[in-house]
Amino acid sequence: MNVNPLTPNIMQLLNSEPVRSASERFTGSEGGFADILTESFKNTNKTDAMDKASSLELLMGESDDLAGMLIDAQKAELALQLALQIRNKVVDAYNEVLRMSV
């Protein structure tokens, strides 16, 4: 019976990045909450641009990938719905802070 040593696996675990808390993940070198929101909205714009490009290619006859165009349209719709829900939650949180008494 051939037994593999655990030493490489243990060394890999010891050399890996330590587990960070949620507050450390959203602040620090990666940026804060505003950076996360900005990146999310950039991703939404990018998805929308991909949808428009694939639709235009299909309409102009440059592509015959109807399924790909429909998938891009669905991705863009979901990204927009996510962005709207994030915006709604941020507005609700802002309004809740305004209602707090000092």
Side-chain angles (χ1 to χ4, degrees):
M1 182 171 173
N2 188 7
V3 177
N4 293 330
L6 293 176
T7 309
N9 294 335
I10 292 172
M11 295 307 290
Q12 182 181 7
L13 288 173
L14 291 175
N15 292 331
S16 66
E17 183 177 324
V19 177
R20 297 180 300 162
S21 68
S23 62
E24 290 174 337
R25 281 183 272 164
F26 292 119
T27 58
S29 63
E30 289 108 19
F33 183 71
D35 294 335
I36 293 170
L37 282 178
T38 302
E39 188 64 33
S40 174
F41 288 122
K42 283 181 184 178
N43 187 26
T44 301
N45 288 336
K46 180 178 147 187
T47 305
D48 185 49
M50 286 175 45
D51 173 41
K52 288 178 182 177
S54 64
S55 297
L56 187 61
E57 286 176 4
L58 188 69
L59 289 172
M60 295 187 66
E62 297 173 1
S63 174
D64 60 348
D65 186 18
L66 179 63
M69 191 271 308
L70 291 174
I71 290 172
D72 287 343
Q74 189 67 30
K75 284 180 184 178
E77 181 181 348
L78 289 172
L80 179 62
Q81 288 177 3
L82 176 64
L84 287 174
Q85 290 300 318
I86 290 171
R87 181 194 62 98
N88 291 342
K89 292 292 181 181
V90 169
V91 169
D92 288 344
Y94 178 74
N95 287 332
E96 188 69 27
V97 169
L98 286 179
R99 281 186 236 127
M100 287 182 181
S101 61
V102 179

